Amino acid sequence: MKPLHSLERKLLSSLAMDGGGLLEDVALKADMTIDQARRAVEWLRSKGIVEVGTTTRYKIEIGDEGRRAVEHGLPERRMVEVLKKLGGEAELHELSKAFDSSKEFSAAFGHARAKGWIGTVSIGDKVFVKILTPDQISPEESLLKKFIAKKELFLDELPEEEKKAVGRLIKRPDYFMKRPVKTIDIMLTELGRKTAETIKEVKEIDSLTPELIISGRWREHRLRPFDVEAVAPTIYPGKKHPLQRFIDEVREAFISLGFEEIVGPVIQPAFWNFDALFVPQDHPARDMQDTFYISKIKEAKIGSQDLIERVSRVHIDGGDTGSRGWGYDWRLDEAKRLVLRTHTTAVTVKYLADNKVSEAKVFSIDKVFRNEKLDTKHLAELHQIEGIVVGRKVTLRDLMGVLNEFYKILGLKKVKFWPTYFPYTEPSLQSIVYVEGFGWMELCGMGIFRPEVALPLGVKNPVLAWGGGLERLLMTKLHIEDIRELYENNLDWLRKVPLCL
Ligand code: PHE
């Protein structure tokens, strides 16, 4: 048997005496507030100790006219009384004078006649009223009497005749109102009866007080164990969006590997998004299809004269990097066009140009934009996880090692790499990871920056670089099939998505 709360014990002991009743009555008998009783009933119900039924009852409340009738009698009764005083018979006009208003008089007259208490006779042009059945008590009157002691009654408490009288009195203005109320009936079950027997013997205490300890009286009682499985309301406290939580987790992973975070502007000149990365100006990725260009304005100053010169040379003939370049006419105007960055590699490459480091470990987690058709796997606005390692002797093996470690922190242990192509890295790799319950998925592009990229920026040591989407990785963790769900702010989903994955 599950432990019982003191409120449950109290209610149960009281119920054991008469087996149940209306919630209000049960609460009263158990000497509890309605709220306490309601809680105790709910707990007892979940344990099968009580059964709860709800019924609709009709409450009759009395109005102002009704009250008047309780105090002074119904107008028709008053009419009979007046007639009695006048000797049992009176002329209509005379009779009306005994009433406050003609309205009251006509009500009294009408109802008294309908009840058969009075009758009329016309003599000449005069009408006389006389008593027919003076002492008959109507159901209306016996009903009204009940209100002397009470303010309200329930329809189902009344005998059939009085129920009908309620119907008639409701039709008269301000007499009665009928209101439906839901009532809760509580009944002790068989199990409840047995439980009630057993709790009689044991004395239980709910809280251990200093007094109980000092006096040693705690020994005589049994301490009520906490019921950790008791029903409790579900609450949804405010919490971070799962996407933001994952960003924090990825950030934490890089920091734990000794990386530093860098940030850069969302709007970049094509120079940093493409040219500095040795992406030729006629490359299809620069096409309107993939890139959001900002119309009308251009970047005035994209870098030092010297830097622009070196980057443009690399495109034209390779400059002094040992490359032959792309061999086309590089245009400054094209490099000045502004774009919503299509990858965060624009940020790492600018970092290299600004700092000319010989050693570095930096990362960025930020938004990028692509002119994609939205579907279950594609967003036009997404996050990328980007990073670089610069060092004297770093190799492709180190690159794979760093990513292996990073994925391991995120709980992804099976990682594979294979060769691919990017205009700015050589060699270039693609990584795929195995996600439990999902399968293999592409995650990240990477490689070692080509001399055409690193040398014009003034970086001589090898630069290991990688970048990949963040949302896709999160999709697999949250087991969602449509990437757009992450941005829909569906409250129900947000409430239910677990904090720990
Ligand atoms: N910028 C590439 C992308 O957006 C990823 C990448 C970054 C590849 C760095 C190589 C080096 O997919």
Side-chain angles (χ1 to χ4, degrees):
M1 184 67 217
K2 286 197 170 180
L4 297 178
H5 187 272
S6 61
L7 287 178
E8 291 175 287
R9 297 166 65 85
K10 198 168 164 189
L11 194 77
L12 184 54
S13 319
S14 162
L15 282 176
M17 304 207 253
D18 54 11
L22 290 177
L23 179 71
E24 289 77 9
D25 300 335
V26 166
L28 199 71
K29 275 189 209 147
D31 190 24
M32 292 164 116
T33 66
I34 285 283
D35 244 25
Q36 288 175 325
R38 221 189 279 278
R39 269 157 62 205
V41 163
E42 193 42 42
W43 296 330
L44 290 172
R45 195 185 57 84
S46 73
K47 292 175 182 137
I49 290 175
V50 297
E51 261 166 24
V52 179
T54 54
T55 28
T56 305
R57 300 181 83 199
Y58 290 93
K59 191 157 94 174
I60 303 145
E61 288 165 347
I62 192 159
D64 286 346
E65 275 312 308
R67 275 266 143 240
R68 248 166 74 87
V70 170
E71 279 163 34
H72 308 292
L74 286 167
E76 55 265 41
R77 174 61 63 198
R78 272 183 273 142
M79 168 151 292
V80 172
E81 295 301 321
V82 172
L83 273 175
K84 261 190 198 166
K85 271 193 207 136
L86 298 173
E89 189 176 313
E91 200 262 324
L92 188 66
H93 186 65
E94 281 302 307
L95 190 58
S96 72
K97 286 187 190 154
F99 287 83
D100 289 346
S101 65
S102 65
K103 206 173 130 207
E104 197 183 35
F105 171 69
S106 53
F109 182 76
H111 286 290
R113 198 145 72 152
K115 285 194 168 75
W117 292 352
I118 57 164
T120 52
V121 269
S122 306
I123 300 171
D125 58 355
K126 284 195 171 143
V127 179
F128 289 87
V129 185
K130 60 180 187 181
I131 301 175
L132 296 179
T133 46
D135 297 319
Q136 213 174 51
I137 295 282
S138 67
E140 276 93 330
E141 287 171 300
S142 60
L143 173 67
L144 284 168
K145 256 197 209 127
K146 294 192 171 159
F147 278 95
I148 295 176
K150 288 186 174 185
K151 264 217 183 88
E152 53 181 46
L153 283 173
F154 283 97
L155 196 62
D156 53 25
E157 297 171 328
L158 303 173
E160 218 40 53
E161 274 307 303
E162 287 179 16
K163 273 186 198 157
K164 284 186 193 145
V166 169
R168 289 193 295 270
L169 283 176
I170 279 176
K171 290 196 192 115
R172 290 167 73 163
D174 272 343
Y175 272 78
F176 283 149
M177 276 80 65
K178 196 168 87 173
R179 247 184 257 291
V181 277
K182 280 226 156 37
T183 60
I184 301 168
D185 287 292
I186 294 134
M187 284 147 300
L188 208 54
T189 62
E190 215 17 67
L191 174 67
R193 253 173 248 292
K194 284 190 198 126
T195 316
E197 282 305 309
T198 60
I199 63 162
K200 270 191 206 155
E201 294 113 46
V202 234
K203 279 197 210 160
E204 266 197 357
I205 42 175
D206 279 315
S207 52
L208 199 54
T209 59
E211 290 74 37
L212 283 171
I213 299 172
I214 293 163
S215 65
R217 272 200 298 122
W218 63 272
R219 276 179 239 275
E220 298 153 25
H221 299 272
R222 204 175 79 182
L223 276 171
R224 181 175 67 86
F226 285 119
D227 179 5
V228 289
E229 284 168 7
V231 276
T234 317
I235 46 171
Y236 299 103
K239 56 186 179 190
K240 269 193 192 171
H241 192 283
L243 183 69
Q244 190 55 52
R245 280 209 309 274
F246 186 55
I247 291 174
D248 293 345
E249 193 182 329
V250 170
R251 174 177 292 129
E252 205 52 52
F254 276 117
I255 288 172
S256 75
L257 290 171
F259 282 75
E260 241 176 82
E261 186 169 3
I262 55 169
V263 285
V266 166
I267 297 173
Q268 300 271 356
F271 183 79
W272 289 116
N273 199 77
F274 297 124
D275 297 276
L277 285 162
F278 197 51
V279 180
Q281 290 187 333
D282 59 359
H283 193 282
R286 292 203 187 195
D287 209 285
M288 287 302 202
Q289 293 299 311
D290 294 298
T291 310
F292 287 115
Y293 282 90
I294 308 232
S295 60
K296 297 197 180 76
I297 42 170
K298 290 198 173 175
E299 183 81 350
K301 192 168 168 26
I302 49 180
S304 69
Q305 209 37 57
D306 189 34
L307 178 71
I308 296 170
E309 176 61 28
R310 273 181 282 143
V311 169
S312 65
R313 277 252 74 84
V314 151
H315 280 253
I316 296 162
D317 59 16
D320 50 15
T321 61
S323 163
R324 284 159 49 196
W326 295 112
Y328 71 100
D329 227 0
W330 188 85
R331 290 189 304 120
L332 180 61
D333 216 37
E334 185 62 34
K336 283 186 167 181
R337 293 179 73 185
L338 289 172
V339 303
L340 289 180
R341 65 182 175 210
T342 59
H343 53 187
T344 37
T345 321
V347 176
T348 43
V349 88
K350 174 89 164 42
Y351 167 84
L352 289 176
D354 290 345
N355 298 282
K356 301 191 174 33
V357 286
S358 55
E359 281 190 340
K361 280 163 85 179
V362 297
F363 74 99
S364 123
I365 310 168
D366 235 328
K367 265 199 179 161
V368 300
F369 304 84
R370 287 180 191 178
N371 197 353
E372 298 258 19
K373 207 166 166 289
L374 306 187
D375 61 29
T376 54
K377 297 224 157 44
H378 295 91
L379 292 166
E381 215 183 304
L382 61 140
H383 288 82
Q384 273 198 328
I385 306 172
E386 187 90 28
I388 49 169
V389 172
V390 191
R392 205 157 61 84
K393 282 187 183 159
V394 291
T395 64
L396 203 64
R397 238 173 211 290
D398 296 312
L399 179 57
M400 291 189 276
V402 166
L403 284 157
N404 248 328
E405 281 308 307
F406 167 69
Y407 291 136
K408 217 189 273 171
I409 296 175
L410 295 186
L412 303 164
K413 297 203 176 79
K414 283 195 220 164
V415 188
K416 283 188 198 174
F417 300 90
W418 78 74
T420 186
Y421 171 78
F422 293 104
Y424 32 96
T425 46
E426 181 60 38
S428 303
L429 297 178
Q430 181 70 48
S431 68
I432 55 167
V433 289
Y434 187 79
V435 186
E436 215 56 62
F438 194 89
W440 289 96
M441 82 171 310
E442 265 182 42
L443 269 190
C444 202
M446 69 190 81
I448 301 178
F449 276 152
R450 300 175 70 102
E452 291 96 325
V453 173
L455 292 178
L457 306 176
V459 177
K460 302 217 167 53
N461 282 342
V463 181
L464 315 178
W466 64 90
L470 175 130
E471 279 85 353
R472 282 198 188 187
L473 193 52
L474 180 56
M475 264 174 92
T476 64
K477 287 195 86 168
L478 297 176
H479 301 291
I480 54 174
E481 254 130 52
D482 189 334
I483 198 162
R484 292 168 293 192
E485 249 182 78
L486 290 173
Y487 288 94
E488 264 166 10
N489 287 333
N490 175 344
L491 213 58
D492 193 46
W493 178 73
L494 287 172
R495 278 176 168 165
K496 287 178 186 154
V497 60
L499 275 176
C500 302
L501 297 159

